[in-house]
Amino acid sequence: MTTPFPFTAVVGQDDLRLALLLNAVSPAVGGVLVRGEKGTAKSTAVRALSALLPEVPVVPGCRFSCDPASPDPGCPDGPHEAGGGAERPARMVELPVGASEDRLVGALDIERALAEGVKAFEPGLLADAHRGILYVDEVNLLHDHLVDLLLDAAAMGASYVEREGVSVRHAARFLLVGTMNPEEGELRPQLLDRFGLTVEVAASREPDQRVEVVRRRLAYDDDPAGFAARWAEEEAAVRARIVAARELLPSVRLGDGALRQIAATCAAFEVDGMRADIVMARTATALAAWAGRTDVLAEDVRQAALLALPHRRRRNPFDAPGLDEDKLDETLEEFGGSDDDDPDPDPGPDGPGGGGGQPEPDDAPQGDGDTAARPEAGEGGQPQPSGAGEQSPARASEPFRTKVLSVPGIGEGAAGRRSRARTEHGRTTGARRPRGALTKLHLAATVQAAAPHQRARGRSGPGLVVRRDDLRQASREGREGNLVLFVVDASGSMAARQRMSAVKGAVLSLLLDAYQRRDKVGLVTFRGTDADVALPPTSSVDAAAARLETLPTGGRTPLAAGLLRAHDVLRVERLRDPARRPLVVLVTDGRATGGPEPVALAGRAARLFAADGVASVVVDCESGPVRLGLAGQLAGELGGTAVTLDELRADSIAGLVKDVQRRAA
């Protein structure tokens, strides 16, 4: 068995260690979401925590880890008699990104059902994680329906399985820890709210601390067991402190003064619902217990707010998480009336993440990304040098809910929420013979195929004689995420500030829609004499929003160059991810200038997309009383559909645009 890196040997990352320890003291806090760049000891710290947890008493032979002192009366392996039992180390169960729903919650034991004719339940990872740690690395890449299932189980403390004739309920109380790199995409705000605490981690910029990180890592790699032995005393001290804090926790008093501060803080930061108040109360209580106190102090409330609120105050997916600490201090001071019988503050024992410690601010104050308005210039007659004729970026107008743009036909891409697709999850639409390995058995169709041959196969017992040819794969239809490639005209013809503000607002609205539908996005812009890939295809939609915010405008309109660059991006991406179908969103007024025959060149470039069968939509940005209809003509060349900015709104009276192409699948 591999020796884990010692928890106490992790250099820095005080917020991360404190959040993990508070959940070890009080699992009711609700878990931790760890956000940060790659290589910041996120996974190392989580895996190291399991070695610090006290051993767990269990009923021998129970697959659901029932506590012998109070066994679950509804345990599928029960009933169990109270008393007795054995102890085992607390488990840390890892949920792989590619796990199936059956692997997570459990399912019918197909082997026993077919061979013995009995209905039996095979537990999943939620049962294995009961009374331990469930760790999800790269939780933002996990399929949404799996995230929903595990967060529901974490909130209710139980897992309910209703499928294939099996109805099972079992306890599932665990410390949920997720890690993610925001560069690879965000979690939906609804899912962020289900994590009790969140911490932002980043590599230290202090040379001495970085040297110590490298020194300890090299020492561990050379001799893991010897390195762990050198930290054994510190590990034992933290383990004993966790046990003491757990024993003290029921005695901690959350006074009315602290409760008022918690309620006032949540109200001041306008968090939705009441979950934040409850999580802050539990976190502040755990902080007091960790510090060895029986009363919650203002410093505990402040620390709890810094851990529990940053991810809950986000107003839309592109807002950076964080908390205004000056506002927090003002709120705590205003509502700082303490109970008369509160004792003097007790700093508590020292240790990693000691109670009441003040973490560094999670994020710098947000800027608006906009510069002062300057007079706009139209297109020039000659290609302009770098910087010449470039206008300051216009601020995007207020985003709105857009109509559904989807790719026609049925795909087989990654799970998402945009276009129809054959998926491993979703509603069952039929059965077929498996092509290759069987991944999802259609039980009824398999039994139906095998039943007529039982006498010929010499069946004599209750089991069903099943051969390979009888197996049937379940065909399921759900939704897939697409690659939404935005091709944005940033030329002088689009540079009027009011128009560009509306254009950016429309693209931002479509980016929000792509975020909610779990798409990958890319951004190509064209202006002057060439086109640029402002953002290669990525799952980080907020990165596209940031690039859009600073998008400069001005110069000629090299429409053909923009289309050719977008076509090249799709060609490369098709090699990387052939199953993900693209949707091109071209934002332009349809004009093309610069070079010989710019309109003809743009038409030929557009026909490349039609020849490849790429779904496309042109967002027509032409304005004014006289319209040339160039965007509509361009949409015809692309084989797609043109919509105006007004028609893009979901509440528009124009017809709903559900498919961007009217072609047979």
Side-chain angles (χ1 to χ4, degrees):
M1 181 178 179
T2 304
T3 303
F5 192 91
F7 186 86
T8 52
V10 174
V11 179
Q13 308 296 10
D14 292 339
D15 289 351
L16 170 58
R17 293 193 294 161
L18 176 59
L20 291 172
L21 289 169
L22 292 177
N23 274 272
V25 171
S26 176
V29 166
V32 187
L33 175 64
V34 187
R35 298 163 43 91
E37 58 196 25
K38 52 188 176 293
T40 49
K42 300 188 299 293
S43 300
T44 298
V46 175
R47 293 188 174 99
L49 178 66
S50 60
L52 296 179
L53 299 181
E55 290 193 335
V56 179
V58 296
V59 173
C62 178
R63 297 174 297 167
F64 302 88
S65 302
C66 279
D67 186 348
S70 57
D72 182 5
C75 176
D77 283 356
H80 304 298
E81 294 184 1
E87 290 192 346
R88 62 161 176 78
R91 293 175 181 158
M92 192 194 75
V93 177
E94 294 195 41
L95 175 61
V97 170
S100 66
E101 185 176 336
D102 290 347
R103 186 71 188 97
L104 177 63
V105 300
L108 178 69
D109 190 330
I110 298 295
E111 183 178 350
R112 292 190 64 190
L114 295 179
E116 304 175 23
V118 298
K119 188 164 60 176
F121 179 70
E122 183 178 2
L125 294 177
L126 291 180
D128 293 341
H130 179 46
R131 305 175 69 200
I133 301 173
L134 181 61
Y135 173 48
V136 189
D137 194 14
E138 305 296 350
V139 65
N140 53 324
L141 303 183
L142 195 66
H143 291 315
D144 283 354
H145 71 286
L146 294 183
V147 177
D148 291 335
L149 286 171
L150 71 90
L151 290 178
D152 284 342
M156 296 185 296
S159 175
Y160 295 85
V161 184
E162 300 282 349
R163 53 173 51 197
E164 297 166 341
V166 174
S167 179
V168 173
R169 175 258 175 219
H170 65 82
R173 292 183 295 276
F174 46 81
L175 195 170
L176 176 63
V177 182
T179 59
M180 60 175 284
N181 183 351
E183 295 176 355
E184 298 174 340
E186 286 283 1
L187 276 175
R188 303 195 316 269
Q190 296 90 334
L191 302 183
L192 279 171
D193 184 55
R194 301 298 291 272
F195 283 94
L197 309 179
T198 185
V199 291
E200 297 278 336
V201 296
S204 172
R205 298 298 183 259
E206 293 293 330
D208 291 343
Q209 196 170 70
R210 296 176 73 97
V211 166
E212 186 61 22
V213 170
V214 174
R215 181 181 291 119
R216 293 187 186 183
R217 186 69 210 190
L218 293 177
Y220 170 77
D221 290 341
D222 289 342
D223 182 10
F227 183 82
R230 290 195 293 274
W231 289 89
E233 185 175 347
E234 289 83 351
E235 293 281 286
V238 174
R239 190 179 299 110
R241 189 174 172 186
I242 291 174
V243 173
R246 284 186 174 185
E247 294 175 351
L248 183 62
L249 187 65
S251 303
V252 175
R253 188 176 68 91
L254 184 65
D256 289 343
L259 275 174
R260 282 193 299 270
Q261 287 184 317
I262 290 171
T265 301
C266 292
F269 286 98
E270 300 180 355
V271 298
D272 296 328
M274 295 297 299
R275 184 175 285 120
D277 303 64
I278 296 170
V279 171
M280 273 191 66
R282 290 171 173 167
T283 305
T285 303
L287 279 162
W290 178 247
R293 291 186 266 101
T294 57
D295 285 270
V296 174
L297 306 180
E299 62 193 72
D300 300 322
V301 176
R302 186 182 193 279
Q303 180 74 78
L306 292 171
L307 293 173
L309 295 189
H311 61 303
R312 292 187 166 90
R313 61 161 296 276
R314 295 174 53 156
R315 309 320 301 169
N316 67 65
F318 301 144
D319 288 342
L323 218 58
D324 184 340
E325 294 196 40
D326 291 336
K327 181 178 179 180
L328 173 60
D329 291 335
E330 290 173 4
T331 303
L332 293 176
E333 183 177 354
E334 180 181 354
F335 294 88
S338 59
D339 299 330
D340 293 337
D341 55 349
D342 277 347
D344 293 333
D346 179 4
D350 294 331
Q358 304 298 327
E360 294 296 324
D362 288 334
D363 289 273
Q366 301 178 41
D368 59 14
D370 196 18
T371 56
R374 300 176 185 172
E376 300 292 346
E379 289 186 46
Q382 300 294 329
Q384 298 177 2
S386 176
E390 182 174 304
Q391 309 304 318
S392 60
R395 182 190 295 274
S397 62
E398 192 69 21
F400 52 85
R401 189 166 62 91
T402 65
K403 291 178 178 178
V404 180
L405 303 176
S406 62
V407 178
I410 301 180
E412 295 183 346
R417 296 184 171 185
R418 183 170 296 279
S419 306
R420 294 173 58 198
R422 287 181 287 269
T423 63
E424 289 295 316
H425 312 282
R427 62 186 182 91
T428 300
T429 58
R432 58 178 174 81
R433 292 180 181 273
R435 296 191 294 268
L438 178 71
T439 57
K440 200 71 178 179
L441 180 72
H442 193 298
L443 182 58
T446 299
V447 172
Q448 187 176 8
H453 309 292
Q454 296 306 295
R455 180 175 295 179
R457 293 173 182 174
R459 172 185 169 184
S460 58
L464 193 67
V465 181
V466 179
R467 295 180 179 173
R468 172 70 184 175
D469 291 343
D470 301 326
L471 299 178
R472 295 294 183 269
Q473 174 84 24
S475 298
R476 296 189 172 187
E477 183 175 312
R479 292 278 169 177
E480 67 176 0
N482 298 113
L483 166 59
V484 182
L485 181 61
F486 293 92
V487 186
V488 180
D489 184 350
S491 64
S493 67
M494 302 280 287
R497 181 162 292 276
Q498 187 173 2
R499 178 193 284 191
M500 202 60 200
S501 177
V503 167
K504 284 190 175 184
V507 178
L508 182 62
S509 303
L510 289 167
L511 283 170
L512 282 166
D513 183 68
Y515 171 86
Q516 293 162 354
R517 299 183 187 281
R518 310 301 288 172
D519 295 316
K520 290 181 70 174
V521 297
L523 179 62
V524 173
T525 65
F526 56 95
R527 57 183 291 272
T529 60
D530 203 0
D532 295 314
V533 181
L535 184 72
T538 175
S539 295
S540 181
V541 178
D542 48 352
R547 302 290 173 88
L548 178 72
E549 185 71 20
T550 58
L551 178 66
T553 56
R556 291 181 176 270
T557 311
L559 178 56
L563 291 171
L564 290 173
R565 182 61 60 90
H567 187 269
D568 189 56
V569 169
L570 293 184
R571 179 184 60 80
V572 174
E573 192 63 20
R574 194 177 294 118
L575 297 174
R576 294 174 177 167
D577 191 357
R580 189 180 291 269
R581 297 187 294 165
L583 171 63
V584 173
V585 179
L586 176 59
V587 185
T588 181
D589 57 8
R591 298 183 182 182
T593 60
E597 300 183 345
V599 176
L601 283 174
R604 287 199 291 271
R607 287 192 287 275
L608 293 175
F609 291 85
D612 291 343
V614 175
S616 58
V617 60
V618 178
V619 180
D620 184 0
C621 302
E622 192 174 24
S623 60
V626 179
R627 302 196 179 199
L628 303 178
L630 298 176
Q633 297 175 22
L634 183 60
E637 300 278 6
L638 287 165
T641 304
V643 296
T644 65
L645 290 174
D646 289 337
E647 291 170 341
L648 194 61
R649 293 178 177 270
D651 54 359
S652 170
I653 61 174
L656 178 65
V657 183
K658 286 203 173 188
D659 285 334
V660 295
Q661 280 183 297
R662 300 298 185 186
R663 294 196 301 255

